[in-house]
Amino acid sequence: MIEAKNLNLYYGSFQALKDISMKVPEKSVTALIGPSGCGKSTFLRTFNRMNDLIAGVKIEGDIIVDDMNIYAKGVDVDSLRKRIGMVFQKPNPFAKSIYENVAYGMRVNGVNDEKLIKQTVEESLKQAALWDEVKDNLKKSAYALSGGQQQRLCIARALAVEPTILLMDEPASALDPISTSKIEELIHELKKNYTILIVTHNMQQAARVSDHTAFFYMGSLIEFNETKTIFTNPENQQTQNYVTGRFG
């Protein structure tokens, strides 16, 4: 279970998140939607404490992951980020081979068993629906892959360190429709084993891939419900206006 409790976040004097409380169901996909600058990506980054890297950020409230407040003193942030994988908007493979991109996380975490690394690389690439396309070219540079393949490689890299939660910040926005479709199919498969939060500007994508949807506006959580309800019978007029394209 993941839960935000009375979460407020400030960039200096600007309040980017305003008293957000929400429970994220496990082993499901939760989409975060809303216009640009509404706080959805900021909210996503609170779950692996990526906002800690930004100067002047102040956070109030709690984020609970597996009964632990991840903002409590003494939390091992490196260990936390191992459990909570992140996939960014643009594919960001390392300047290494396909194999070493996936193996990287294990190596930096002290895994030296090459047999285990080889097995995990294969399993992760299979989970990311990429193995059949790259199994004969694992020594090739990751940069030789297409954009869609690079994004799936980044997903495989995140999976290799065995997270329980996957954060995806517009993972298909830089991809063509066919690659986008593959990423969406992959998300559908991954939710069997992972809790997934995805930020997307694409209303159709949110409707296709998610089980629950949260609508953000100007730093506030306006509505959170099952995706079908959000898109067909929302409780809030602002939500209705956004999902029907009247603003945003």
Side-chain angles (χ1 to χ4, degrees):
M1 176 63 73
I2 317 169
E3 184 177 4
K5 292 183 177 178
N6 307 115
L7 185 71
N8 294 282
L9 183 143
Y10 302 83
Y11 295 123
S13 61
F14 173 70
Q15 186 170 3
L17 295 175
K18 302 170 184 174
D19 198 33
I20 308 291
S21 293
M22 128 184 191
K23 290 182 179 179
V24 178
E26 67 175 343
K27 290 189 179 175
S28 65
V29 181
T30 298
L32 309 179
I33 65 170
S36 296
C38 69
K40 55 191 185 294
S41 289
T42 295
F43 180 64
L44 187 78
R45 292 194 299 265
T46 62
F47 289 101
N48 65 349
R49 294 188 52 169
M50 288 286 284
N51 294 308
D52 293 16
L53 306 173
I54 302 170
V57 164
K58 183 176 79 168
I59 297 171
E60 300 168 348
D62 300 331
I63 294 279
I64 309 298
V65 176
D66 296 334
D67 299 321
M68 178 183 73
N69 177 16
I70 65 171
Y71 284 92
K73 287 184 178 176
V75 169
D76 183 340
V77 177
D78 288 337
S79 175
L80 173 76
R81 290 181 183 146
K82 182 181 173 184
R83 291 165 53 204
I84 303 178
M86 183 95 184
V87 179
F88 295 93
Q89 184 172 0
K90 291 182 179 178
N92 60 339
F94 301 140
K96 297 174 180 288
S97 70
I98 294 167
Y99 183 94
E100 287 302 327
N101 262 269
V102 185
Y104 179 82
M106 287 177 285
R107 296 198 193 284
V108 298
N109 282 298
V111 177
N112 297 312
D113 184 338
E114 288 299 327
K115 187 177 178 182
L116 175 62
I117 291 173
K118 183 179 180 181
Q119 179 183 339
T120 305
V121 167
E122 181 174 340
E123 287 174 357
S124 300
L125 287 167
K126 283 179 176 176
Q127 276 192 287
L130 190 59
W131 174 252
D132 288 341
E133 296 169 44
V134 302
K135 62 185 179 183
D136 298 323
N137 297 295
L138 294 175
K139 293 182 179 180
K140 275 192 173 181
S141 168
Y143 293 149
L145 299 175
S146 69
Q149 289 174 322
Q150 286 184 13
Q151 191 66 302
R152 281 182 282 147
L153 179 67
C154 292
I155 292 170
R157 187 176 68 198
L159 297 177
V161 293
E162 299 181 338
T164 55
I165 299 161
L166 275 178
L167 309 178
M168 297 184 163
D169 195 353
E170 298 195 62
S173 66
L175 305 180
D176 62 84
I178 293 173
S179 297
T180 295
S181 178
K182 287 187 177 181
I183 295 291
E184 291 180 4
E185 288 172 16
L186 177 56
I187 290 169
H188 184 72
E189 284 298 309
L190 290 174
K191 76 174 181 181
K192 295 173 184 174
N193 298 305
Y194 304 93
T195 301
I196 300 172
L197 286 96
I198 176 172
V199 168
T200 180
H201 274 105
N202 186 320
M203 295 300 96
Q204 291 80 16
Q205 183 173 79
R208 285 192 300 264
V209 305
S210 69
D211 303 290
H212 294 79
T213 296
F215 170 54
F216 284 78
Y217 185 65
M218 295 184 71
S220 295
L221 175 60
I222 305 300
E223 190 168 349
F224 176 59
N225 211 324
E226 291 184 0
T227 295
K228 185 177 178 181
T229 301
I230 291 288
F231 282 96
T232 61
N233 191 29
E235 296 174 2
N236 190 285
Q237 186 62 46
Q238 277 183 301
T239 310
Q240 173 78 23
N241 291 343
Y242 184 72
V243 299
T244 56
R246 290 179 196 157
F247 83 95

